Amino acid sequence: MTTSPPAGAEILDLIRRPDIERSDIDHSIAPTIRRELESAADEHLPLDHPVRINKETVRRALRCEAHLVAHLGRDVEPPTAAMIRGALVDRLFAQRMVGFPIGADPVSDALAAADASDDRRLRALWDDLEPSEQEELRSSVTDMAEKLSSRWPPLPPGAYPRLQNTARIELCDGQIILSGRVDLALGRPSAEKVGTTLIDVKAGTHRLDDRDDAGWYAILETLRSGAPPFQVGNYYVPSGELDLKPVTVEDLQRATRRVADAIARVVRIAAGGTPRRSPGPLCPWCPAYEACEEGQQHIRDRDEATGEWLGDLDEDEWDDEEGPSDD
Ligand code: SF4
């Protein structure tokens, strides 16, 4: 059974959640998170230079330390068409949030909004695309703009929208800098109760990392404001899904452990430690793959195991006198 995505008042209800009582702010949470994150780095301080950590750094450090280092040493890759589409949709979402209608040519609207905020890069990237790529992007961005226009309601007074809400947190006397920017923050805590909702806007589909990223934003917001957010999650423009989850103490503890683990790895490497290799299924997409024996061996072993398994399956199935089963 398919259900239609939320629209209008349903979206506002999912943000406000009148059915959920706001919890009291536990003022000990932010200092506890800070202490745990700082103590993860302790062993390897002081550093010669501050390290900057964002959500991608966390993700890469936890996946494979050598993978993180390979990325750091690489020239910045040109943005993909999907990234340009995401940047265009972010602009349109912002336009919608401040109450401006999206016109008949959403790409032009998005580029004009970027120009107006002195972001010349987006137009340059657009101009560099092949005409066929522009046509394809224009079609998908127009489709998403129509969905946004028909689903997202005007925000009511008192929503306190903050677009591209940025957080920059210094730990260990500025030797570690955590930073992040969430597309939309709404509401705010009162003196006693949590109240902020953080939403990241996605121009694509669900990814496994999205929930972890939500935890990252929850940590940043807690450290920045001293109060945990009420809800954190993602809005998927193509499907219209608004995946918001109230933030619990357990969520914050889990996210803190994850970020502390990443900080410990990054700081150890920054202090001169050897990056560890953790081969996995994503090795072929790693910039170090061509020179990484562990990664290549892992993929060879995996392919061999898959081949053996398929071989066993063939024998089991086809040596059977009754032939393959339809089960
Ligand atoms: S190829 Fe795999 S093991 Fe090697 S550095 Fe990259 S992610 Fe790590």
Side-chain angles (χ1 to χ4, degrees), residues 63-68 70 276-280 282-296:
R63 174 176 153 193
C64 171
E65 294 172 15
H67 168 79
L68 170 70
R276 299 181 191 118
R277 291 176 192 273
S278 309
L282 297 179
C283 281
W285 286 270
C286 171
Y289 185 63
E290 293 304 321
C292 179
E293 181 47 39
E294 289 95 327
Q296 292 179 24

mmCIF file with all atom_site columns, all heavy atoms in Angstrom, residues 63-68 70 276-280 282-296, ligand 1:
data_model
loop_
_atom_site.group_PDB
_atom_site.id
_atom_site.type_symbol
_atom_site.label_atom_id
_atom_site.label_alt_id
_atom_site.label_comp_id
_atom_site.label_asym_id
_atom_site.label_entity_id
_atom_site.label_seq_id
_atom_site.pdbx_PDB_ins_code
_atom_site.Cartn_x
_atom_site.Cartn_y
_atom_site.Cartn_z
_atom_site.occupancy
_atom_site.B_iso_or_equiv
_atom_site.pdbx_formal_charge
_atom_site.auth_seq_id
_atom_site.auth_comp_id
_atom_site.auth_asym_id
_atom_site.auth_atom_id
_atom_site.pdbx_PDB_model_num
ATOM   1   N  N   . ARG A 1 63  ? 35.059 4.862  8.658  1.00 0.00 ? 63  ARG A N   1
ATOM   2   C  CA  . ARG A 1 63  ? 35.059 3.821  7.610  1.00 0.00 ? 63  ARG A CA  1
ATOM   3   C  C   . ARG A 1 63  ? 36.455 3.222  7.483  1.00 0.00 ? 63  ARG A C   1
ATOM   4   O  O   . ARG A 1 63  ? 36.621 2.004  7.478  1.00 0.00 ? 63  ARG A O   1
ATOM   5   C  CB  . ARG A 1 63  ? 34.620 4.460  6.296  1.00 0.00 ? 63  ARG A CB  1
ATOM   6   C  CG  . ARG A 1 63  ? 34.706 3.538  5.111  1.00 0.00 ? 63  ARG A CG  1
ATOM   7   C  CD  . ARG A 1 63  ? 34.148 4.228  3.887  1.00 0.00 ? 63  ARG A CD  1
ATOM   8   N  NE  . ARG A 1 63  ? 34.739 3.700  2.682  1.00 0.00 ? 63  ARG A NE  1
ATOM   9   C  CZ  . ARG A 1 63  ? 34.645 4.256  1.503  1.00 0.00 ? 63  ARG A CZ  1
ATOM   10  N  NH1 . ARG A 1 63  ? 33.963 5.380  1.345  1.00 0.00 ? 63  ARG A NH1 1
ATOM   11  N  NH2 . ARG A 1 63  ? 35.210 3.705  0.446  1.00 0.00 ? 63  ARG A NH2 1
ATOM   12  N  N   . CYS A 1 64  ? 37.469 4.062  7.354  1.00 0.00 ? 64  CYS A N   1
ATOM   13  C  CA  . CYS A 1 64  ? 38.853 3.581  7.211  1.00 0.00 ? 64  CYS A CA  1
ATOM   14  C  C   . CYS A 1 64  ? 39.757 4.814  7.335  1.00 0.00 ? 64  CYS A C   1
ATOM   15  O  O   . CYS A 1 64  ? 39.603 5.774  6.589  1.00 0.00 ? 64  CYS A O   1
ATOM   16  C  CB  . CYS A 1 64  ? 39.034 2.904  5.848  1.00 0.00 ? 64  CYS A CB  1
ATOM   17  S  SG  . CYS A 1 64  ? 40.762 2.513  5.493  1.00 0.00 ? 64  CYS A SG  1
ATOM   18  N  N   . GLU A 1 65  ? 40.680 4.763  8.294  1.00 0.00 ? 65  GLU A N   1
ATOM   19  C  CA  . GLU A 1 65  ? 41.521 5.945  8.530  1.00 0.00 ? 65  GLU A CA  1
ATOM   20  C  C   . GLU A 1 65  ? 42.370 6.277  7.290  1.00 0.00 ? 65  GLU A C   1
ATOM   21  O  O   . GLU A 1 65  ? 42.572 7.437  6.951  1.00 0.00 ? 65  GLU A O   1
ATOM   22  C  CB  . GLU A 1 65  ? 42.412 5.705  9.742  1.00 0.00 ? 65  GLU A CB  1
ATOM   23  C  CG  . GLU A 1 65  ? 41.615 5.576  11.029 1.00 0.00 ? 65  GLU A CG  1
ATOM   24  C  CD  . GLU A 1 65  ? 42.480 5.143  12.194 1.00 0.00 ? 65  GLU A CD  1
ATOM   25  O  OE1 . GLU A 1 65  ? 43.720 5.210  12.094 1.00 0.00 ? 65  GLU A OE1 1
ATOM   26  O  OE2 . GLU A 1 65  ? 41.904 4.717  13.217 1.00 0.00 ? 65  GLU A OE2 1
ATOM   27  N  N   . ALA A 1 66  ? 42.872 5.233  6.631  1.00 0.00 ? 66  ALA A N   1
ATOM   28  C  CA  . ALA A 1 66  ? 43.699 5.468  5.439  1.00 0.00 ? 66  ALA A CA  1
ATOM   29  C  C   . ALA A 1 66  ? 42.861 6.090  4.315  1.00 0.00 ? 66  ALA A C   1
ATOM   30  O  O   . ALA A 1 66  ? 43.358 6.885  3.509  1.00 0.00 ? 66  ALA A O   1
ATOM   31  C  CB  . ALA A 1 66  ? 44.333 4.166  4.978  1.00 0.00 ? 66  ALA A CB  1
ATOM   32  N  N   . HIS A 1 67  ? 41.607 5.735  4.281  1.00 0.00 ? 67  HIS A N   1
ATOM   33  C  CA  . HIS A 1 67  ? 40.682 6.314  3.301  1.00 0.00 ? 67  HIS A CA  1
ATOM   34  C  C   . HIS A 1 67  ? 40.527 7.821  3.573  1.00 0.00 ? 67  HIS A C   1
ATOM   35  O  O   . HIS A 1 67  ? 40.562 8.643  2.642  1.00 0.00 ? 67  HIS A O   1
ATOM   36  C  CB  . HIS A 1 67  ? 39.338 5.590  3.416  1.00 0.00 ? 67  HIS A CB  1
ATOM   37  C  CG  . HIS A 1 67  ? 38.209 6.235  2.693  1.00 0.00 ? 67  HIS A CG  1
ATOM   38  N  ND1 . HIS A 1 67  ? 38.041 6.115  1.340  1.00 0.00 ? 67  HIS A ND1 1
ATOM   39  C  CD2 . HIS A 1 67  ? 37.193 7.017  3.132  1.00 0.00 ? 67  HIS A CD2 1
ATOM   40  C  CE1 . HIS A 1 67  ? 36.961 6.794  0.980  1.00 0.00 ? 67  HIS A CE1 1
ATOM   41  N  NE2 . HIS A 1 67  ? 36.438 7.341  2.048  1.00 0.00 ? 67  HIS A NE2 1
ATOM   42  N  N   . LEU A 1 68  ? 40.390 8.185  4.831  1.00 0.00 ? 68  LEU A N   1
ATOM   43  C  CA  . LEU A 1 68  ? 40.283 9.602  5.188  1.00 0.00 ? 68  LEU A CA  1
ATOM   44  C  C   . LEU A 1 68  ? 41.532 10.357 4.726  1.00 0.00 ? 68  LEU A C   1
ATOM   45  O  O   . LEU A 1 68  ? 41.421 11.412 4.085  1.00 0.00 ? 68  LEU A O   1
ATOM   46  C  CB  . LEU A 1 68  ? 40.123 9.751  6.704  1.00 0.00 ? 68  LEU A CB  1
ATOM   47  C  CG  . LEU A 1 68  ? 40.246 11.180 7.233  1.00 0.00 ? 68  LEU A CG  1
ATOM   48  C  CD1 . LEU A 1 68  ? 39.051 12.028 6.807  1.00 0.00 ? 68  LEU A CD1 1
ATOM   49  C  CD2 . LEU A 1 68  ? 40.373 11.196 8.753  1.00 0.00 ? 68  LEU A CD2 1
ATOM   50  N  N   . ALA A 1 70  ? 43.653 9.536  2.425  1.00 0.00 ? 70  ALA A N   1
ATOM   51  C  CA  . ALA A 1 70  ? 43.707 9.571  0.956  1.00 0.00 ? 70  ALA A CA  1
ATOM   52  C  C   . ALA A 1 70  ? 42.830 10.706 0.427  1.00 0.00 ? 70  ALA A C   1
ATOM   53  O  O   . ALA A 1 70  ? 43.181 11.403 -0.530 1.00 0.00 ? 70  ALA A O   1
ATOM   54  C  CB  . ALA A 1 70  ? 43.256 8.236  0.384  1.00 0.00 ? 70  ALA A CB  1
ATOM   55  N  N   . ARG A 1 276 ? 45.156 3.589  10.210 1.00 0.00 ? 276 ARG A N   1
ATOM   56  C  CA  . ARG A 1 276 ? 44.853 2.150  10.086 1.00 0.00 ? 276 ARG A CA  1
ATOM   57  C  C   . ARG A 1 276 ? 43.991 1.923  8.847  1.00 0.00 ? 276 ARG A C   1
ATOM   58  O  O   . ARG A 1 276 ? 43.214 2.787  8.460  1.00 0.00 ? 276 ARG A O   1
ATOM   59  C  CB  . ARG A 1 276 ? 44.083 1.676  11.321 1.00 0.00 ? 276 ARG A CB  1
ATOM   60  C  CG  . ARG A 1 276 ? 44.856 1.855  12.606 1.00 0.00 ? 276 ARG A CG  1
ATOM   61  C  CD  . ARG A 1 276 ? 44.008 1.322  13.767 1.00 0.00 ? 276 ARG A CD  1
ATOM   62  N  NE  . ARG A 1 276 ? 44.578 1.685  15.036 1.00 0.00 ? 276 ARG A NE  1
ATOM   63  C  CZ  . ARG A 1 276 ? 43.984 2.462  15.953 1.00 0.00 ? 276 ARG A CZ  1
ATOM   64  N  NH1 . ARG A 1 276 ? 42.787 2.970  15.719 1.00 0.00 ? 276 ARG A NH1 1
ATOM   65  N  NH2 . ARG A 1 276 ? 44.590 2.734  17.085 1.00 0.00 ? 276 ARG A NH2 1
ATOM   66  N  N   . ARG A 1 277 ? 44.142 0.717  8.286  1.00 0.00 ? 277 ARG A N   1
ATOM   67  C  CA  . ARG A 1 277 ? 43.335 0.355  7.113  1.00 0.00 ? 277 ARG A CA  1
ATOM   68  C  C   . ARG A 1 277 ? 42.213 -0.579 7.547  1.00 0.00 ? 277 ARG A C   1
ATOM   69  O  O   . ARG A 1 277 ? 42.466 -1.520 8.285  1.00 0.00 ? 277 ARG A O   1
ATOM   70  C  CB  . ARG A 1 277 ? 44.205 -0.340 6.066  1.00 0.00 ? 277 ARG A CB  1
ATOM   71  C  CG  . ARG A 1 277 ? 45.202 0.598  5.441  1.00 0.00 ? 277 ARG A CG  1
ATOM   72  C  CD  . ARG A 1 277 ? 46.130 -0.095 4.482  1.00 0.00 ? 277 ARG A CD  1
ATOM   73  N  NE  . ARG A 1 277 ? 47.226 0.800  4.154  1.00 0.00 ? 277 ARG A NE  1
ATOM   74  C  CZ  . ARG A 1 277 ? 47.194 1.698  3.169  1.00 0.00 ? 277 ARG A CZ  1
ATOM   75  N  NH1 . ARG A 1 277 ? 46.134 1.776  2.395  1.00 0.00 ? 277 ARG A NH1 1
ATOM   76  N  NH2 . ARG A 1 277 ? 48.214 2.499  2.962  1.00 0.00 ? 277 ARG A NH2 1
ATOM   77  N  N   . SER A 1 278 ? 41.030 -0.315 7.099  1.00 0.00 ? 278 SER A N   1
ATOM   78  C  CA  . SER A 1 278 ? 39.876 -1.171 7.415  1.00 0.00 ? 278 SER A CA  1
ATOM   79  C  C   . SER A 1 278 ? 39.162 -1.500 6.114  1.00 0.00 ? 278 SER A C   1
ATOM   80  O  O   . SER A 1 278 ? 38.216 -0.804 5.718  1.00 0.00 ? 278 SER A O   1
ATOM   81  C  CB  . SER A 1 278 ? 38.911 -0.445 8.352  1.00 0.00 ? 278 SER A CB  1
ATOM   82  O  OG  . SER A 1 278 ? 39.586 0.074  9.459  1.00 0.00 ? 278 SER A OG  1
ATOM   83  N  N   . PRO A 1 279 ? 39.618 -2.547 5.435  1.00 0.00 ? 279 PRO A N   1
ATOM   84  C  CA  . PRO A 1 279 ? 39.007 -2.865 4.139  1.00 0.00 ? 279 PRO A CA  1
ATOM   85  C  C   . PRO A 1 279 ? 37.516 -3.159 4.261  1.00 0.00 ? 279 PRO A C   1
ATOM   86  O  O   . PRO A 1 279 ? 37.071 -3.682 5.290  1.00 0.00 ? 279 PRO A O   1
ATOM   87  C  CB  . PRO A 1 279 ? 39.768 -4.124 3.693  1.00 0.00 ? 279 PRO A CB  1
ATOM   88  C  CG  . PRO A 1 279 ? 41.011 -4.163 4.506  1.00 0.00 ? 279 PRO A CG  1
ATOM   89  C  CD  . PRO A 1 279 ? 40.684 -3.485 5.808  1.00 0.00 ? 279 PRO A CD  1
ATOM   90  N  N   . GLY A 1 280 ? 36.797 -2.824 3.245  1.00 0.00 ? 280 GLY A N   1
ATOM   91  C  CA  . GLY A 1 280 ? 35.351 -3.063 3.247  1.00 0.00 ? 280 GLY A CA  1
ATOM   92  C  C   . GLY A 1 280 ? 34.821 -3.064 1.826  1.00 0.00 ? 280 GLY A C   1
ATOM   93  O  O   . GLY A 1 280 ? 35.577 -2.878 0.866  1.00 0.00 ? 280 GLY A O   1
ATOM   94  N  N   . LEU A 1 282 ? 33.353 -0.913 0.141  1.00 0.00 ? 282 LEU A N   1
ATOM   95  C  CA  . LEU A 1 282 ? 33.458 0.331  -0.626 1.00 0.00 ? 282 LEU A CA  1
ATOM   96  C  C   . LEU A 1 282 ? 34.885 0.610  -1.100 1.00 0.00 ? 282 LEU A C   1
ATOM   97  O  O   . LEU A 1 282 ? 35.137 1.648  -1.722 1.00 0.00 ? 282 LEU A O   1
ATOM   98  C  CB  . LEU A 1 282 ? 32.939 1.509  0.209  1.00 0.00 ? 282 LEU A CB  1
ATOM   99  C  CG  . LEU A 1 282 ? 31.454 1.435  0.582  1.00 0.00 ? 282 LEU A CG  1
ATOM   100 C  CD1 . LEU A 1 282 ? 31.044 2.631  1.437  1.00 0.00 ? 282 LEU A CD1 1
ATOM   101 C  CD2 . LEU A 1 282 ? 30.569 1.381  -0.669 1.00 0.00 ? 282 LEU A CD2 1
ATOM   102 N  N   . CYS A 1 283 ? 35.818 -0.309 -0.815 1.00 0.00 ? 283 CYS A N   1
ATOM   103 C  CA  . CYS A 1 283 ? 37.219 -0.086 -1.208 1.00 0.00 ? 283 CYS A CA  1
ATOM   104 C  C   . CYS A 1 283 ? 37.390 0.332  -2.677 1.00 0.00 ? 283 CYS A C   1
ATOM   105 O  O   . CYS A 1 283 ? 38.165 1.246  -2.968 1.00 0.00 ? 283 CYS A O   1
ATOM   106 C  CB  . CYS A 1 283 ? 38.049 -1.340 -0.923 1.00 0.00 ? 283 CYS A CB  1
ATOM   107 S  SG  . CYS A 1 283 ? 38.498 -1.494 0.814  1.00 0.00 ? 283 CYS A SG  1
ATOM   108 N  N   . PRO A 1 284 ? 36.701 -0.307 -3.630 1.00 0.00 ? 284 PRO A N   1
ATOM   109 C  CA  . PRO A 1 284 ? 36.935 0.075  -5.029 1.00 0.00 ? 284 PRO A CA  1
ATOM   110 C  C   . PRO A 1 284 ? 36.644 1.551  -5.318 1.00 0.00 ? 284 PRO A C   1
ATOM   111 O  O   . PRO A 1 284 ? 37.106 2.089  -6.311 1.00 0.00 ? 284 PRO A O   1
ATOM   112 C  CB  . PRO A 1 284 ? 35.977 -0.838 -5.812 1.00 0.00 ? 284 PRO A CB  1
ATOM   113 C  CG  . PRO A 1 284 ? 35.796 -2.026 -4.936 1.00 0.00 ? 284 PRO A CG  1
ATOM   114 C  CD  . PRO A 1 284 ? 35.829 -1.490 -3.527 1.00 0.00 ? 284 PRO A CD  1
ATOM   115 N  N   . TRP A 1 285 ? 35.889 2.213  -4.464 1.00 0.00 ? 285 TRP A N   1
ATOM   116 C  CA  . TRP A 1 285 ? 35.576 3.630  -4.680 1.00 0.00 ? 285 TRP A CA  1
ATOM   117 C  C   . TRP A 1 285 ? 36.538 4.546  -3.917 1.00 0.00 ? 285 TRP A C   1
ATOM   118 O  O   . TRP A 1 285 ? 36.377 5.753  -3.921 1.00 0.00 ? 285 TRP A O   1
ATOM   119 C  CB  . TRP A 1 285 ? 34.139 3.931  -4.261 1.00 0.00 ? 285 TRP A CB  1
ATOM   120 C  CG  . TRP A 1 285 ? 33.164 3.384  -5.252 1.00 0.00 ? 285 TRP A CG  1
ATOM   121 C  CD1 . TRP A 1 285 ? 32.663 4.014  -6.355 1.00 0.00 ? 285 TRP A CD1 1
ATOM   122 C  CD2 . TRP A 1 285 ? 32.597 2.070  -5.251 1.00 0.00 ? 285 TRP A CD2 1
ATOM   123 N  NE1 . TRP A 1 285 ? 31.824 3.175  -7.039 1.00 0.00 ? 285 TRP A NE1 1
ATOM   124 C  CE2 . TRP A 1 285 ? 31.749 1.974  -6.386 1.00 0.00 ? 285 TRP A CE2 1
ATOM   125 C  CE3 . TRP A 1 285 ? 32.703 0.961  -4.416 1.00 0.00 ? 285 TRP A CE3 1
ATOM   126 C  CZ2 . TRP A 1 285 ? 31.031 0.812  -6.687 1.00 0.00 ? 285 TRP A CZ2 1
ATOM   127 C  CZ3 . TRP A 1 285 ? 32.001 -0.185 -4.713 1.00 0.00 ? 285 TRP A CZ3 1
ATOM   128 C  CH2 . TRP A 1 285 ? 31.182 -0.247 -5.837 1.00 0.00 ? 285 TRP A CH2 1
ATOM   129 N  N   . CYS A 1 286 ? 37.525 3.967  -3.252 1.00 0.00 ? 286 CYS A N   1
ATOM   130 C  CA  . CYS A 1 286 ? 38.455 4.757  -2.437 1.00 0.00 ? 286 CYS A CA  1
ATOM   131 C  C   . CYS A 1 286 ? 39.573 5.295  -3.327 1.00 0.00 ? 286 CYS A C   1
ATOM   132 O  O   . CYS A 1 286 ? 40.094 4.588  -4.184 1.00 0.00 ? 286 CYS A O   1
ATOM   133 C  CB  . CYS A 1 286 ? 39.033 3.854  -1.348 1.00 0.00 ? 286 CYS A CB  1
ATOM   134 S  SG  . CYS A 1 286 ? 40.383 4.600  -0.438 1.00 0.00 ? 286 CYS A SG  1
ATOM   135 N  N   . PRO A 1 287 ? 39.987 6.556  -3.125 1.00 0.00 ? 287 PRO A N   1
ATOM   136 C  CA  . PRO A 1 287 ? 41.061 7.102  -3.964 1.00 0.00 ? 287 PRO A CA  1
ATOM   137 C  C   . PRO A 1 287 ? 42.388 6.376  -3.775 1.00 0.00 ? 287 PRO A C   1
ATOM   138 O  O   . PRO A 1 287 ? 43.267 6.474  -4.631 1.00 0.00 ? 287 PRO A O   1
ATOM   139 C  CB  . PRO A 1 287 ? 41.174 8.559  -3.505 1.00 0.00 ? 287 PRO A CB  1
ATOM   140 C  CG  . PRO A 1 287 ? 40.367 8.699  -2.283 1.00 0.00 ? 287 PRO A CG  1
ATOM   141 C  CD  . PRO A 1 287 ? 39.408 7.559  -2.217 1.00 0.00 ? 287 PRO A CD  1
ATOM   142 N  N   . ALA A 1 288 ? 42.545 5.609  -2.666 1.00 0.00 ? 288 ALA A N   1
ATOM   143 C  CA  . ALA A 1 288 ? 43.809 4.903  -2.424 1.00 0.00 ? 288 ALA A CA  1
ATOM   144 C  C   . ALA A 1 288 ? 43.781 3.474  -2.973 1.00 0.00 ? 288 ALA A C   1
ATOM   145 O  O   . ALA A 1 288 ? 44.770 2.743  -2.839 1.00 0.00 ? 288 ALA A O   1
ATOM   146 C  CB  . ALA A 1 288 ? 44.098 4.868  -0.924 1.00 0.00 ? 288 ALA A CB  1
ATOM   147 N  N   . TYR A 1 289 ? 42.685 3.071  -3.579 1.00 0.00 ? 289 TYR A N   1
ATOM   148 C  CA  . TYR A 1 289 ? 42.494 1.650  -3.913 1.00 0.00 ? 289 TYR A CA  1
ATOM   149 C  C   . TYR A 1 289 ? 43.612 1.079  -4.792 1.00 0.00 ? 289 TYR A C   1
ATOM   150 O  O   . TYR A 1 289 ? 44.106 -0.018 -4.531 1.00 0.00 ? 289 TYR A O   1
ATOM   151 C  CB  . TYR A 1 289 ? 41.139 1.481  -4.606 1.00 0.00 ? 289 TYR A CB  1
ATOM   152 C  CG  . TYR A 1 289 ? 40.789 0.033  -4.900 1.00 0.00 ? 289 TYR A CG  1
ATOM   153 C  CD1 . TYR A 1 289 ? 40.626 -0.873 -3.875 1.00 0.00 ? 289 TYR A CD1 1
ATOM   154 C  CD2 . TYR A 1 289 ? 40.613 -0.407 -6.215 1.00 0.00 ? 289 TYR A CD2 1
ATOM   155 C  CE1 . TYR A 1 289 ? 40.292 -2.198 -4.127 1.00 0.00 ? 289 TYR A CE1 1
ATOM   156 C  CE2 . TYR A 1 289 ? 40.276 -1.731 -6.478 1.00 0.00 ? 289 TYR A CE2 1
ATOM   157 C  CZ  . TYR A 1 289 ? 40.117 -2.616 -5.427 1.00 0.00 ? 289 TYR A CZ  1
ATOM   158 O  OH  . TYR A 1 289 ? 39.799 -3.928 -5.689 1.00 0.00 ? 289 TYR A OH  1
ATOM   159 N  N   . GLU A 1 290 ? 44.023 1.843  -5.809 1.00 0.00 ? 290 GLU A N   1
ATOM   160 C  CA  . GLU A 1 290 ? 45.030 1.322  -6.756 1.00 0.00 ? 290 GLU A CA  1
ATOM   161 C  C   . GLU A 1 290 ? 46.336 0.967  -6.053 1.00 0.00 ? 290 GLU A C   1
ATOM   162 O  O   . GLU A 1 290 ? 47.071 0.101  -6.506 1.00 0.00 ? 290 GLU A O   1
ATOM   163 C  CB  . GLU A 1 290 ? 45.307 2.373  -7.845 1.00 0.00 ? 290 GLU A CB  1
ATOM   164 C  CG  . GLU A 1 290 ? 44.136 2.631  -8.778 1.00 0.00 ? 290 GLU A CG  1
ATOM   165 C  CD  . GLU A 1 290 ? 43.643 1.360  -9.455 1.00 0.00 ? 290 GLU A CD  1
ATOM   166 O  OE1 . GLU A 1 290 ? 44.483 0.537  -9.823 1.00 0.00 ? 290 GLU A OE1 1
ATOM   167 O  OE2 . GLU A 1 290 ? 42.407 1.193  -9.573 1.00 0.00 ? 290 GLU A OE2 1
ATOM   168 N  N   . ALA A 1 291 ? 46.621 1.644  -4.928 1.00 0.00 ? 291 ALA A N   1
ATOM   169 C  CA  . ALA A 1 291 ? 47.892 1.406  -4.237 1.00 0.00 ? 291 ALA A CA  1
ATOM   170 C  C   . ALA A 1 291 ? 47.688 0.674  -2.910 1.00 0.00 ? 291 ALA A C   1
ATOM   171 O  O   . ALA A 1 291 ? 48.626 0.559  -2.128 1.00 0.00 ? 291 ALA A O   1
ATOM   172 C  CB  . ALA A 1 291 ? 48.590 2.744  -3.973 1.00 0.00 ? 291 ALA A CB  1
ATOM   173 N  N   . CYS A 1 292 ? 46.497 0.183  -2.656 1.00 0.00 ? 292 CYS A N   1
ATOM   174 C  CA  . CYS A 1 292 ? 46.208 -0.400 -1.338 1.00 0.00 ? 292 CYS A CA  1
ATOM   175 C  C   . CYS A 1 292 ? 46.069 -1.915 -1.463 1.00 0.00 ? 292 CYS A C   1
ATOM   176 O  O   . CYS A 1 292 ? 45.043 -2.420 -1.949 1.00 0.00 ? 292 CYS A O   1
ATOM   177 C  CB  . CYS A 1 292 ? 44.928 0.209  -0.770 1.00 0.00 ? 292 CYS A CB  1
ATOM   178 S  SG  . CYS A 1 292 ? 44.501 -0.472 0.837  1.00 0.00 ? 292 CYS A SG  1
ATOM   179 N  N   . GLU A 1 293 ? 47.090 -2.633 -1.026 1.00 0.00 ? 293 GLU A N   1
ATOM   180 C  CA  . GLU A 1 293 ? 47.080 -4.088 -1.148 1.00 0.00 ? 293 GLU A CA  1
ATOM   181 C  C   . GLU A 1 293 ? 45.961 -4.704 -0.291 1.00 0.00 ? 293 GLU A C   1
ATOM   182 O  O   . GLU A 1 293 ? 45.271 -5.621 -0.733 1.00 0.00 ? 293 GLU A O   1
ATOM   183 C  CB  . GLU A 1 293 ? 48.462 -4.646 -0.743 1.00 0.00 ? 293 GLU A CB  1
ATOM   184 C  CG  . GLU A 1 293 ? 48.593 -6.153 -0.861 1.00 0.00 ? 293 GLU A CG  1
ATOM   185 C  CD  . GLU A 1 293 ? 48.080 -6.722 -2.194 1.00 0.00 ? 293 GLU A CD  1
ATOM   186 O  OE1 . GLU A 1 293 ? 48.281 -6.101 -3.263 1.00 0.00 ? 293 GLU A OE1 1
ATOM   187 O  OE2 . GLU A 1 293 ? 47.438 -7.793 -2.146 1.00 0.00 ? 293 GLU A OE2 1
ATOM   188 N  N   . GLU A 1 294 ? 45.771 -4.158 0.935  1.00 0.00 ? 294 GLU A N   1
ATOM   189 C  CA  . GLU A 1 294 ? 44.723 -4.720 1.816  1.00 0.00 ? 294 GLU A CA  1
ATOM   190 C  C   . GLU A 1 294 ? 43.336 -4.591 1.174  1.00 0.00 ? 294 GLU A C   1
ATOM   191 O  O   . GLU A 1 294 ? 42.541 -5.523 1.202  1.00 0.00 ? 294 GLU A O   1
ATOM   192 C  CB  . GLU A 1 294 ? 44.689 -3.996 3.179  1.00 0.00 ? 294 GLU A CB  1
ATOM   193 C  CG  . GLU A 1 294 ? 45.857 -4.304 4.065  1.00 0.00 ? 294 GLU A CG  1
ATOM   194 C  CD  . GLU A 1 294 ? 46.948 -3.252 3.903  1.00 0.00 ? 294 GLU A CD  1
ATOM   195 O  OE1 . GLU A 1 294 ? 47.096 -2.718 2.763  1.00 0.00 ? 294 GLU A OE1 1
ATOM   196 O  OE2 . GLU A 1 294 ? 47.641 -2.963 4.876  1.00 0.00 ? 294 GLU A OE2 1
ATOM   197 N  N   . GLY A 1 295 ? 43.091 -3.409 0.607  1.00 0.00 ? 295 GLY A N   1
ATOM   198 C  CA  . GLY A 1 295 ? 41.783 -3.191 -0.016 1.00 0.00 ? 295 GLY A CA  1
ATOM   199 C  C   . GLY A 1 295 ? 41.575 -4.120 -1.202 1.00 0.00 ? 295 GLY A C   1
ATOM   200 O  O   . GLY A 1 295 ? 40.512 -4.736 -1.364 1.00 0.00 ? 295 GLY A O   1
ATOM   201 N  N   . GLN A 1 296 ? 42.605 -4.255 -2.038 1.00 0.00 ? 296 GLN A N   1
ATOM   202 C  CA  . GLN A 1 296 ? 42.479 -5.114 -3.225 1.00 0.00 ? 296 GLN A CA  1
ATOM   203 C  C   . GLN A 1 296 ? 42.312 -6.576 -2.815 1.00 0.00 ? 296 GLN A C   1
ATOM   204 O  O   . GLN A 1 296 ? 41.512 -7.314 -3.397 1.00 0.00 ? 296 GLN A O   1
ATOM   205 C  CB  . GLN A 1 296 ? 43.706 -4.948 -4.108 1.00 0.00 ? 296 GLN A CB  1
ATOM   206 C  CG  . GLN A 1 296 ? 43.797 -3.578 -4.746 1.00 0.00 ? 296 GLN A CG  1
ATOM   207 C  CD  . GLN A 1 296 ? 45.036 -3.421 -5.593 1.00 0.00 ? 296 GLN A CD  1
ATOM   208 O  OE1 . GLN A 1 296 ? 45.601 -4.393 -6.078 1.00 0.00 ? 296 GLN A OE1 1
ATOM   209 N  NE2 . GLN A 1 296 ? 45.483 -2.192 -5.760 1.00 0.00 ? 296 GLN A NE2 1
HETATM 210 S  S1  . SF4 B 2 .   ? 41.193 0.797  -0.364 1.00 0.00 ? 1   SF4 B S1  1
HETATM 211 FE FE1 . SF4 B 2 .   ? 39.989 0.181  1.424  1.00 0.00 ? 1   SF4 B FE1 1
HETATM 212 S  S2  . SF4 B 2 .   ? 41.466 -0.434 2.995  1.00 0.00 ? 1   SF4 B S2  1
HETATM 213 FE FE2 . SF4 B 2 .   ? 42.565 0.716  1.434  1.00 0.00 ? 1   SF4 B FE2 1
HETATM 214 S  S3  . SF4 B 2 .   ? 42.614 2.785  2.177  1.00 0.00 ? 1   SF4 B S3  1
HETATM 215 FE FE3 . SF4 B 2 .   ? 40.845 2.635  0.853  1.00 0.00 ? 1   SF4 B FE3 1
HETATM 216 S  S4  . SF4 B 2 .   ? 39.119 2.092  2.167  1.00 0.00 ? 1   SF4 B S4  1
HETATM 217 FE FE4 . SF4 B 2 .   ? 41.012 1.716  3.327  1.00 0.00 ? 1   SF4 B FE4 1
#
